[in-house]
Amino acid sequence: MDQLQIKDLEIFAYHGLFSSEKELGQKFVVSAILSYDMTQAATDLDLTASVHYGELCQQWTIWFQETIEDLIETVAYKLVERTFETYPLVQEIELELKKPWAPVHLPLDTCSVTIHRRKQRAFIALGSNMGDKQANLEQAIDKLRAQGIHILKESSVLATEPWGGVEQDSFANQVIEVETWLPAPVLLETLLAIESEMGRVREVHWGPRLIDLDLLFVEDQIIYTDELILPHPYIAERLFVLEPLVEIAPHFIHPILKQPIRYLVDQLEQGNA
């Protein structure tokens, strides 16, 4: 992908753990590589399809100086976050933040941190069978947007019978496709935080829930940890997930089963016939 590189922008600010750093300030140096498609800007002279690097440097300076942080990791992360928010066309950012006057008291040229983030597409299943189910799904999607997660596609809302053997009301189910620069574990934490904000209480396994947000896929990533399994392990067993998913992504290929979603739907429907 095409790249814009900005190297060694010097900014004076007051970040650091020590009180002297916060009082006296020091020099920081920012370098970054921004990846995005420059075809439209180059061929049509369309400035809206490019990043004005002069304005970006001014913005970085303002953002850099408007707060005081203990850690340069925090400063670098916030610069990446604000850049993605301000320039939606940017798909990937690698940003290095140097601290040449770090109080190490040893021979040292500089110390630095580098944060590298790339936008990814993910699929999220939403479900609710308590209260105003439709409103619950809409509120969850609004909260995702408020976290800077871009909603690309939304399936229809389907009324489905409960799954898992627990006696309860029917569900309203939906699947959405999103774009986000958050890594998969952080995206999962965001979903769990939204569930908690909306008042979900986990009392009965597969029981009634005000809102349920399941991370299904993050592109073709395969992850297996105590906290996160990707793809979601029950996708191929749940029509209430597959049916809305096939509506918006029939040709998406399951990275483990190596089959498109439309085939998984057919297989499950035939098995249930």
Side-chain angles (χ1 to χ4, degrees):
M1 185 173 289
D2 308 321
Q3 296 180 332
L4 167 66
Q5 184 169 355
I6 296 173
K7 189 172 182 180
D8 295 338
L9 171 66
E10 295 187 6
I11 305 174
F12 193 89
Y14 297 84
H15 306 293
L17 278 172
F18 299 107
S19 58
S20 58
E21 295 180 289
K22 291 180 170 63
E23 293 169 3
L24 301 176
Q26 60 189 296
K27 180 176 72 174
F28 297 86
V29 181
V30 180
S31 297
I33 298 174
L34 282 65
S35 300
Y36 60 95
D37 188 347
M38 298 181 181
T39 303
Q40 186 175 345
T43 59
D44 299 340
L45 301 180
D46 185 355
L47 294 179
T48 65
S50 69
V51 174
H52 190 314
Y53 44 83
E55 291 182 358
L56 178 60
C57 290
Q58 292 289 344
Q59 289 167 327
W60 278 349
T61 302
I62 293 170
W63 298 340
F64 208 97
Q65 295 174 335
E66 66 185 7
T67 62
I68 296 176
E69 307 292 349
D70 290 340
L71 301 178
I72 56 174
E73 291 92 335
T74 304
V75 184
Y77 187 90
K78 287 186 174 182
L79 285 181
V80 170
E81 181 178 46
R82 294 283 290 272
T83 304
F84 272 130
E85 290 174 353
T86 307
Y87 297 94
L89 77 166
V90 175
Q91 297 298 307
E92 187 172 357
I93 301 174
E94 181 174 327
L95 185 143
E96 181 184 21
L97 175 55
K98 298 177 184 178
K99 191 175 182 180
W101 298 348
V104 175
H105 307 300
L106 288 169
L108 174 70
D109 179 48
T110 189
C111 66
S112 70
V113 298
T114 299
I115 291 183
H116 185 186
R117 293 290 185 271
R118 177 178 66 87
K119 285 183 178 177
Q120 306 172 95
R121 293 193 170 196
F123 292 92
I124 300 168
L126 300 86
S128 175
N129 74 335
M130 298 174 65
D132 189 333
K133 304 169 191 177
Q134 176 76 39
N136 292 339
L137 300 184
E138 293 173 358
Q139 183 182 2
I141 291 174
D142 286 342
K143 287 184 175 293
L144 287 168
R145 288 195 180 99
Q147 292 296 322
I149 296 170
H150 182 48
I151 312 299
L152 299 175
K153 295 179 182 178
E154 299 181 35
S155 77
S156 304
V157 177
L158 304 180
T160 62
E161 293 304 309
W163 190 89
V166 178
E167 189 72 24
Q168 56 187 305
D169 195 8
S170 62
F171 273 83
N173 285 109
Q174 186 178 21
V175 171
I176 60 175
E177 183 181 6
V178 305
E179 183 182 66
T180 178
W181 60 275
L182 298 176
V186 179
L187 179 56
L188 176 64
E189 291 176 5
T190 303
L191 300 184
L192 295 175
I194 290 173
E195 288 182 345
S196 180
E197 287 174 17
M198 291 183 61
R200 175 172 179 180
V201 178
R202 298 174 183 269
E203 294 178 336
V204 179
H205 190 48
W206 289 326
R209 63 212 73 175
L210 182 73
I211 189 67
D212 188 26
L213 301 174
D214 286 333
L215 185 56
L216 302 178
F217 300 105
V218 177
E219 297 193 340
D220 60 353
Q221 292 183 33
I222 299 173
I223 299 175
Y224 186 84
T225 68
D226 291 341
E227 293 76 28
L228 174 61
I229 300 175
L230 278 181
H232 192 289
Y234 297 114
I235 289 172
E237 303 173 31
R238 296 176 169 178
L239 270 177
F240 67 83
V241 171
L242 288 174
E243 287 179 342
L245 184 56
V246 78
E247 180 185 330
I248 61 173
H251 305 295
F252 181 82
I253 296 176
H254 193 296
I256 294 177
L257 301 178
K258 305 300 182 184
Q259 291 183 321
I261 298 302
R262 59 192 179 92
Y263 285 4
L264 298 180
V265 173
D266 292 342
Q267 289 172 5
L268 189 56
E269 287 178 337
Q270 290 169 11
N272 291 340

